[in-house]
Structures are given as structure tokens and as C-alpha cells.
């Protein structure tokens, strides 16, 4: 059997199971979505948002890219952010990284990875910013894990600089921002940074991108 057909068969089984539990499930699912959460996560196949949070379809609006980045030139990300905040009016935005992240690990090297070098540059800037503190950590794995955490925290700060989030804070006092890291070895999520509406201040940034 071709591998992709297993996915189609699994889909049929999943749909049947849902209907057995609730005959109105797909009627309700087809109505307008009203998620409370926007999830900005890593594209890594081992970190599915709904699976690791035990959420149902419709609970989380999801955007994923390499190493869960919030980049001011990424129109895809900004379009998702604007729709989630201004149309869906999500109450929470979660940036979720994970330990053993290939994108973060690659950014800690000087290797040439081709096209993705341009994307990794954004993580390398986080690495450079915290280089001294990171290299006070002797254990290489612990240093790697700490950069994963710092990268998540930096992306939360990038969210706070956006006009989309700042205008929503002024108008509705939300969304709240949450930086998480998924421990891929144990299955649990660690909170790294939370910023509630009105708590973030900067003498430099007001309406950045």
C-alpha cells in the first residue's frame, strides 16, 4: 500500500468515529470558527498543536514555520496574525518552540544550508544577542535548550512590536502573549514568557511592523 493512502484510510476511520460519538459533529464544525488561540509553532512534524494540547478542531488557529519565528518581513505570518487578531479576535497568542529544534541547532553553526540560510539569519541574530550568556553554559545540550527558550522569548517581543497587536491592546485589551517550549523528551510544555495586554512597554517601539 502506498504510504499516502494510509492517511486517507485513517481519515475515513476518524470521521466515522466522530460521527458515532456525535452525529452532529461535522454540522457544528462546518459553522464559523471561533478559536480562542493563535498558535505560532515550529513546522517540525513531531509538534502538532492540537495533539500536544489535547485540543479539538476549531480550538486553535495555527501557523507554523521553521523554528516558530515572527519575522517582520514575513507577509504570510503577518497575514495570519492580522486575521487572527482583527477578524477572529483571538484572546491568546502562543509562540511554541521545542527542544531539539533543527532550525535552532542549525543556526548555532557556521554551515551553509543553502536557501534556508536567509531564514536562519533571524535565529542567528538571537544567538548573537545572547552569545556571551549562552557560552557561560558549559554543557552543549543545556546551551542548545537555552537558545530554544531565548528564541521563543524573542519572538514574543517581536509580536509585541507589531501594529496589529498594539492596536488590539489599545482597542480590546487583548490578546495575551505566551511563550512556550515543548519538551519533546517528556511531552510537557514549559512556560517561558507571558505578556498580558498593557504590561509591555518600550521607550523605542510603538508601531513597528
Amino acid at each position: 500500500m502506498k504510504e499516502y493512502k494510509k492517511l486517507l484510510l485513517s481519515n475515513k476511520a476518524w470521521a466515522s468515529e466522530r460521527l458515532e460519538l456525535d452525529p452532529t459533529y461535522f454540522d457544528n464544525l462546518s459553522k464559523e470558527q471561533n478559536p480562542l488561540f493563535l498558535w505560532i509553532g515550529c513546522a517540525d512534524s513531531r509538534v502538532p498543536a492540537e495533539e500536544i494540547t489535547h485540543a479539538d478542531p476549531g480550538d486553535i488557529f495555527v501557523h507554523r514555520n521553521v523554528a516558530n519565528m515572527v519575522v517582520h518581513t514575513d507577509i504570510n505570518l503577518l497575514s495570519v496574525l492580522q486575521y487572527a487578531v482583527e477578524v477572529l479576535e483571538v484572546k491568546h497568542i502562543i509562540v511554541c518552540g521545542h527542544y531539539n529544534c533543527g532550525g535552532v541547532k542549525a543556526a548555532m553553526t557556521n554551515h551553509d544550508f543553502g536557501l534556508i540560510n536567509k531564514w536562519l539569519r533571524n535565529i542567528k541574530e538571537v544567538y548573537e544577542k545572547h552569545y556571551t550568556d549562552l557560552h557561560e553554559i558549559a554543557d552543549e545540550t543545556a546551551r542548545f535548550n537555552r537558545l530554544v527558550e531565548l528564541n521563543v522569548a524573542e519572538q514574543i517581543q517581536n509580536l509585541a512590536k507589531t501594529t496589529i497587536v498594539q492596536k488590539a491592546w489599545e482597542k480590546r485589551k487583548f490578546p495575551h502573549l505566551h511563550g512556550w517550549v515543548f519538551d519533546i523528551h517528556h511531552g510537557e510544555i514549559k512556560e517561558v514568557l507571558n505578556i498580558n495586554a498593557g504590561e509591555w512597554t518600550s521607550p523605542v517601539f510603538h508601531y513597528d511592523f
Side-chain angles (χ1 to χ4, degrees), residues 4 36 42 47 78 86 89 125 146 157 168 174 177-178 193 196:
Y4 79 91
L36 291 176
C42 183
V47 195
L78 294 177
E86 297 181 2
E89 296 188 351
E125 289 176 355
R146 183 56 182 153
Q157 297 289 342
F174 59 80
L177 310 182
H178 310 276
L193 176 66
N196 293 320

Side-chain angles (χ1 to χ4, degrees), residues 167-184:
K167 287 181 178 179
W169 282 348
E170 291 177 357
K171 183 178 180 181
R172 294 189 298 273
K173 308 305 180 187
F174 59 80
H176 307 300
L177 310 182
H178 310 276
W180 294 355
V181 172
F182 176 64
D183 188 336
I184 206 163

Side-chain angles (χ1 to χ4, degrees), residues 1-17:
M1 181 187 295
K2 292 185 177 180
E3 288 82 356
Y4 79 91
K5 288 192 174 181
K6 292 172 63 177
L7 298 179
L8 296 173
L9 289 174
S10 295
N11 165 255
K12 290 182 185 298
W14 171 79
S16 296
E17 290 170 2

Side-chain angles (χ1 to χ4, degrees), residues 133-207:
D133 291 339
L134 284 166
H135 281 267
E136 289 179 355
I137 302 172
D139 182 76
E140 186 175 349
T141 299
R143 188 187 314 137
F144 177 18
N145 289 344
R146 183 56 182 153
L147 182 56
V148 167
E149 296 170 356
L150 290 169
N151 186 55
V152 165
E154 199 73 24
Q155 306 321 307
I156 290 292
Q157 297 289 342
N158 287 343
L159 277 173
K161 296 172 187 176
T162 64
T163 59
I164 297 166
V165 168
Q166 289 186 29
K167 287 181 178 179
W169 282 348
E170 291 177 357
K171 183 178 180 181
R172 294 189 298 273
K173 308 305 180 187
F174 59 80
H176 307 300
L177 310 182
H178 310 276
W180 294 355
V181 172
F182 176 64
D183 188 336
I184 206 163
H185 303 287
H186 301 99
E188 296 184 355
I189 293 171
K190 175 181 179 179
E191 291 186 278
V192 173
L193 176 66
N194 294 303
I195 300 178
N196 293 320
E199 291 182 352
W200 186 83
T201 58
S202 170
V204 177
F205 287 104
H206 184 73
Y207 296 156

